[in-house]
Amino acid sequence: MREGGRITVRMDVWGRLSYRQNVPNDPGEGHVMANERLRAAISAKGETIQSVAEHVGVDPKSVERWITTSRTPHRGHRWKAASFLGVDEVYIWPSVEKQAEKASTSELITYYPHRGAVPAPLWSSLIEKATDQVDILVYAGLFLFDSHPDLPDQLADKAKAGAQIRILLGDPDSEAVRQRGEEEGIGDDLAARARITRRYLEPAMSTPGVEVRLHDTILYNSVYRFDEDVLVNPHVLGAPAGQNPVMHFRYLPGARTFRHYMRSFDYAWERGRTA
């Protein structure tokens, strides 16, 4: 035994006794590190243990234990807390990375080799079933409105029922749209398509809850989100969007892919301007 040391006897949750020699100023092998990342995230957001607990729906003492003992809450509470604080749950609780990776893989429902392979009934079903959120990020997306002539009315009706509708169209006068039109080999036709789509949307734009913005970002993916489903259409250099693959993801708590694409949408949304 080291001079000045002492023995601490503890009983674990299974009733087993454990012994540890304590040395002054030495945390020892059994020392529990606090979750400083969670503590810092709460502080940076300007929140408190109480406010986090209220948002997640747990007792404040639970949140305090998450910090002081590095206890990892179950998936639903992790996701709510991370979302509320605006951080990735894996950053706060690194031990769940494998779980998050597995859940993210499970979010992929189907892969389509090109947009034309997406079944028409799927588009209709996703549109009809959406009740809370519809987010569309495109340069033009004219195919969707041509194939669903009642879509503007449907979006207006959903907004009247409480849904949030956000649509981002490419600014037809922007350099990004001009360049993309050249890359696809259609020149000014892409800008013309964006103008037509906006015209289709005009009847719905006066409805509260329907907001249309124009963007001038370099678009790497077209994004079509209907509640907890999102179709992602990557943009391949030199090929029209319709010839490129489409991936169908469905949100799972604790997974990352759905949220990753929606953060991209939010980024573009904040940079857009009213149409």
Side-chain angles (χ1 to χ4, degrees):
M1 176 186 297
R2 298 182 186 178
E3 184 177 353
R6 64 181 181 180
I7 299 295
T8 298
V9 181
R10 299 180 184 274
M11 180 177 292
D12 63 21
V13 295
W14 293 279
R16 298 176 301 196
L17 296 179
S18 62
Y19 303 85
R20 182 169 67 84
Q21 177 181 330
N22 295 322
V23 179
N25 300 320
D26 181 359
E29 294 181 358
H31 179 69
V32 177
M33 297 293 291
N35 190 332
E36 296 299 339
R37 290 184 177 182
L38 176 55
R39 191 198 307 275
I42 294 173
S43 177
K45 191 71 173 179
E47 300 295 341
T48 64
I49 288 176
Q50 180 70 35
S51 64
V52 173
E54 290 176 356
H55 180 82
V56 176
V58 297
D59 189 278
K61 291 183 178 179
S62 295
V63 179
E64 188 173 350
R65 285 192 291 269
W66 298 348
I67 297 173
T68 59
T69 69
S70 285
R71 179 174 298 181
T72 302
H74 67 70
R75 186 170 65 181
H77 290 164
R78 287 198 311 268
W79 179 81
K80 287 183 179 180
S83 178
F84 180 61
L85 297 173
V87 296
D88 194 307
E89 65 167 337
V90 174
Y91 171 75
I92 301 177
W93 295 286
S95 62
V96 304
E97 183 171 7
K98 289 185 177 180
Q99 290 178 256
E101 289 178 356
K102 184 176 181 180
S104 298
T105 300
S106 298
E107 283 188 304
L108 179 61
I109 302 299
T110 312
Y111 169 89
Y112 299 99
H114 55 85
R115 197 176 65 197
V118 180
L122 176 61
W123 289 106
S124 299
S125 175
L126 293 176
I127 293 169
E128 291 171 4
K129 291 180 180 179
T131 58
D132 299 320
Q133 188 82 40
V134 175
D135 294 328
I136 297 175
L137 170 60
V138 292
Y139 275 138
L142 185 58
F143 80 95
L144 189 61
F145 293 87
D146 278 341
S147 58
H148 297 85
D150 295 330
L151 182 54
D153 291 336
Q154 288 179 285
L155 296 177
D157 289 342
K158 291 180 184 298
K160 292 175 183 177
Q164 182 183 38
I165 312 297
R166 300 186 298 174
I167 300 176
L168 271 167
L169 301 175
D171 183 341
D173 297 319
S174 68
E175 175 62 21
V177 170
R178 185 200 65 77
Q179 182 175 332
R180 182 62 188 177
E182 289 186 359
E183 291 170 353
E184 291 189 4
I186 61 174
D188 294 338
D189 287 350
L190 181 58
R193 291 179 183 180
R195 291 189 176 95
I196 293 172
T197 298
R198 187 195 178 283
R199 187 168 300 173
Y200 282 164
L201 282 165
E202 282 183 357
M205 290 168 60
S206 60
T207 303
V210 176
E211 188 170 359
V212 179
R213 295 184 182 181
L214 301 180
H215 71 88
D216 59 1
T217 61
I218 298 175
L219 198 57
Y220 301 103
N221 303 276
S222 293
V223 176
Y224 307 86
R225 184 258 182 100
F226 306 94
D227 286 352
E228 297 189 346
D229 289 84
V230 62
L231 298 180
V232 178
N233 182 195
H235 288 197
V236 178
L237 184 63
Q243 297 178 6
N244 299 331
V246 173
M247 297 170 288
H248 180 186
F249 298 98
R250 181 169 297 151
Y251 167 74
L252 287 175
R256 306 173 71 180
T257 306
F258 179 96
R259 289 184 290 143
H260 181 70
Y261 281 111
M262 294 321 301
R263 279 195 294 269
S264 173
F265 179 95
D266 290 337
Y267 178 76
W269 182 256
E270 292 303 318
R271 294 176 50 149
R273 63 178 180 85
T274 302

